[in-house]
Every structure is written in C-alpha cells, then in structure tokens.
Amino acid sequence: MSITTIRVAKLNVVPVAESYAIALSFDASEDLVQGTLVKIDAAGTVSPVANDGSELPLGIVTRGSQSHVYEGKATVLTNFAAVLNVTASGAVAIGDKVIFESQDAATKEVAYKTTTTAGNIAAGIALSAGADGATVQIGILRTPYTLV
C-alpha cells in the first residue's frame, strides 16, 4: 500500500462584501454631498438629520444632489431591508414612522399605521402618503427603531 501526499496550495480568498442595502433617489431640500446622513420630510424631500439623536435617519447620501449635476436628486443608501406596498390603517404621511397593525385573514394583505407613542417600536418609514385603506409604500427598517 502506498501513501499519496496531497499538497494544498494556499488559496487567496477574496471576501465579497454585499450590503444588500436598497438605494433610492429623492428630491433634495438643498445641495447634499456624499456621506450626508439624511431624513425624509412630509414633502418627500431629503435633508440632513439633526445630530442630537432626535430624528430617525433614512440613510446616507451616496450620490450628491448638486443642482447643476444631478438636477436636485440625491441617491440615498437606505436603512431598509425591503420596500413594500401595504394598506394604511388610518392616515399615513410621507416620513411617518409606522408599525404593523394587522393582516387580513382572507386576502393576506397587511396593514401598517403611524406611530408617535414613546416606547413603540417602528418597523418602517412611510415613503408615500395615503388615507385609511389606501395602498402606501413603506421602507422596512433593518433594525426596528424605538420611539423616544
């Protein structure tokens, strides 16, 4: 019986970094540069967040909004794991923090509602507005946010 020696070459492994983050384009309230942490307002425009922890960031600007270059649009790498169309349970405005309300047993449609109550855990941010029963678009946060 012979013994065979197998030599294993050292492998150069290149790690693949994928963020799986969702990049969205928004109108900007001012010229924003790459790296700016932004929030969304009720008009659907983005602007810098306050640095005091009082505002929930939408994400970080990856392409600036200089009006002469990008026509006032900013590309934002959001904090979203998904963007969903859901049913509004009560009126929802753009930028509202939303929580899960219910799931219809027959249609399996889910409903989300606005929350402003301290201690509630927001699951997402509204990206469109709608009245009670309307379909609205929300971004589901990667990490839920506890309102203070």
Side-chain angles (χ1 to χ4, degrees):
M1 173 176 189
S2 66
I3 298 176
T4 303
T5 303
I6 300 174
R7 293 181 184 226
V8 178
K10 182 178 179 183
L11 299 176
N12 291 325
V13 177
V14 178
V16 177
E18 294 186 43
S19 69
Y20 300 103
I22 297 173
L24 299 172
S25 179
F26 297 93
D27 288 327
S29 64
E30 59 189 81
D31 281 351
L32 300 172
V33 297
Q34 183 177 2
T36 305
L37 195 60
V38 294
K39 64 181 177 184
I40 188 169
D41 64 22
T45 60
V46 292
S47 60
V49 298
N51 288 327
D52 60 6
S54 64
E55 299 171 326
L56 176 60
L58 174 72
I60 190 162
V61 173
T62 57
R63 183 181 303 158
S65 65
Q66 292 78 11
S67 55
H68 63 285
V69 179
Y70 299 113
E71 300 178 358
K73 298 273 189 191
T75 301
V76 177
L77 193 60
T78 66
N79 295 323
F80 302 148
V83 175
L84 305 175
N85 290 322
V86 300
T87 303
S89 178
V92 174
I94 298 173
D96 281 355
K97 294 157 195 78
V98 295
I99 59 174
F100 176 78
E101 171 71 7
S102 63
Q103 178 180 345
D104 185 285
T107 65
K108 304 299 183 202
E109 290 180 1
V110 294
Y112 279 77
K113 68 178 184 176
T114 297
T115 183
T116 56
T117 306
N120 277 358
I121 299 175
I125 300 173
L127 298 175
S128 67
D132 184 35
T135 298
V136 294
Q137 189 173 63
I138 63 170
I140 300 294
L141 295 167
R142 285 192 179 282
T143 305
Y145 174 79
T146 304
L147 278 72
V148 290

